[in-house]
Amino acid sequence: MVQFTSQKMDRNAPCWCGSGKKYKNCHMAFDEKIREYELKGALVPDRNLLKTSKDVEGIKASAKINIAVLDEIAEKIHEGMSTQEIDDIVYNTTVKMGGIPADLHYEGYPKSVCTSVNDQVCHGIPSPDVILQDGDIVNVDCSTILNGYFSDSSRMFCIGEVDPAWRRLVDVTKECVEIGVKAVKPWTFMGDMGNAVHQHALDNGYTVVKEIGGHGCGLEFHEDPFVSYVSKPGTEMLMVPGMCFTIEPMVNMGTDEIYEDDSNGWSIYTADGKPSAQWEVQVLVTETGCEVLTY
Ligand code: MF3
Ligand code: CO
């Protein structure tokens, strides 16, 4: 992949980032650094994955709604509530704040949010027939569009009295994300981060889903790269300032094997019926580490 050579710029032209500065005084050295990694064989981000300060502003405004919606769910979620009621809150809160739920009609998805209960790994479809029960663990995965900018996050909720072993799965999965966030450093690799996440899950006796992972996010819902949490250090894409992506490992208590519910073509379950947990944040890579934009 030779991306940066085809994007050579005039040294005196205005920088591609929109700063208004001359290229040579702005991102030229940065581009050359990326090019060096590319020549050494590294997978490097294309320029269209690097967010400008205007993009970041837009994504942060979208994220503000995204966070507020999950805060609202955190306040209202309770035993006896249907997952359809969660969907209603997500739709109404998002729209009231001027946003659009990104899930709704995305590739034909029928609802505004994903609600994945117990052995549902992800993409649980809200329904009036799914009633939250004492002891359930549920992931609410919410995505927002504001002025064309995308934000994405998910949280786990424990309903009533949850088995301590299940609660531990929820807690350790949150720690996995926190460890992932700490491992996001510019000029290191996505695989360094993915491996740190994976290792913490393994150390606690859990497995991590391989087939589904995170993604670049901001100007589109799902951008490159695919973000794996079973990756090896020094592999996958180079992380550089301006990249924006999600950290959202799906951690299983038992096997990492999963299957899709044929009846709806969306919902993913653990093959052994044991519980799965997931937390998701969206991060922006900075000069020193990363900034967490959603949670
Ligand atoms: N929010 C999910 C993610 O974290 C994607 C859900 S797509 C949907 O990437 F269509 F199922 F809503
Ligand atoms: Co996501």
Side-chain angles (χ1 to χ4, degrees):
M1 283 232 277
V2 181
Q3 293 139 329
F4 272 79
T5 40
S6 57
Q7 295 173 319
K8 267 249 158 30
M9 288 194 53
D10 182 337
R11 298 166 52 84
N12 290 306
C15 188
W16 55 262
C17 78
S19 64
K21 286 192 245 175
K22 286 186 180 176
Y23 180 53
K24 66 181 179 191
N25 298 325
C26 196
H27 273 86
M28 193 170 86
F30 175 86
D31 284 356
E32 278 165 4
K33 188 167 177 182
I34 291 180
R35 174 88 180 120
E36 274 169 36
Y37 278 92
E38 190 180 27
L39 288 171
K40 283 189 282 185
L43 177 63
V44 301
D46 195 87
R47 193 174 289 157
N48 65 18
L49 297 183
L50 306 182
K51 274 55 186 173
T52 65
S53 45
K54 179 173 169 268
D55 294 337
V56 170
E57 235 175 80
I59 295 166
K60 283 183 175 174
S62 174
K64 203 172 162 188
I65 301 177
N66 190 255
I67 294 164
V69 171
L70 281 178
D71 284 347
E72 187 75 9
I73 297 299
E75 227 173 83
K76 303 240 166 94
I77 199 164
H78 62 268
E79 183 185 341
M81 181 186 217
S82 75
T83 52
Q84 179 59 50
E85 287 172 72
I86 294 175
D87 194 78
D88 293 342
I89 295 170
V90 169
Y91 181 85
N92 291 326
T93 310
T94 305
V95 169
K96 206 186 296 164
M97 293 184 75
I100 302 166
D103 288 1
L104 191 57
H105 308 314
Y106 172 76
E107 293 187 358
Y109 187 76
K111 297 285 175 175
S112 295
V113 67
C114 296
T115 50
S116 305
V117 184
N118 301 338
D119 64 328
Q120 272 182 330
V121 172
C122 64
H123 305 163
I125 302 178
S127 160
D129 301 332
V130 177
I131 309 294
L132 296 178
Q133 313 277 347
D134 182 43
D136 281 348
I137 59 170
V138 55
N139 172 272
V140 179
D141 189 339
C142 176
S143 310
T144 309
I145 315 173
L146 178 72
N147 301 324
Y149 293 104
F150 289 79
S151 52
D152 193 3
S153 64
S154 80
R155 300 183 200 169
M156 293 299 294
F157 298 100
C158 290
I159 307 300
E161 217 163 298
V162 168
D163 181 321
W166 288 37
R167 194 174 278 276
R168 192 174 149 265
L169 173 70
V170 170
D171 293 343
V172 168
T173 304
K174 191 172 192 195
E175 290 165 13
C176 284
V177 172
E178 289 160 358
I179 286 166
V181 166
K182 286 204 186 92
V184 176
K185 294 196 187 79
W187 315 108
T188 68
F189 292 88
M190 303 286 275
D192 302 333
M193 180 276 291
N195 183 253
V197 169
H198 193 193
Q199 199 53 53
H200 190 63
L202 292 176
D203 288 348
N204 283 279
Y206 303 139
T207 63
V208 175
V209 172
K210 296 183 180 68
E211 299 88 338
I212 316 169
H215 50 95
C217 187
L219 306 189
E220 291 180 62
F221 193 174
H222 294 123
E223 300 172 356
D224 279 342
F226 170 74
V227 184
S228 167
Y229 311 101
V230 292
S231 41
K232 296 277 175 279
T235 69
E236 308 288 331
M237 195 176 275
L238 179 72
M239 296 188 277
V240 308
M243 282 170 78
C244 192
F245 58 86
T246 66
I247 301 181
E248 52 174 316
M250 291 155 219
V251 179
N252 294 353
M253 189 179 280
T255 179
D256 60 356
E257 276 174 62
I258 54 174
Y259 71 93
E260 186 181 285
D261 180 348
D262 290 337
S263 71
N264 66 31
W266 280 103
S267 305
I268 306 293
Y269 291 80
T270 59
D272 59 7
K274 291 188 180 168
S276 180
Q278 179 182 30
W279 293 79
E280 174 177 19
V281 300
Q282 181 176 349
V283 300
L284 172 71
V285 183
T286 63
E287 297 296 334
T288 51
C290 74
E291 189 178 348
V292 176
L293 304 183
T294 66
Y295 52 85

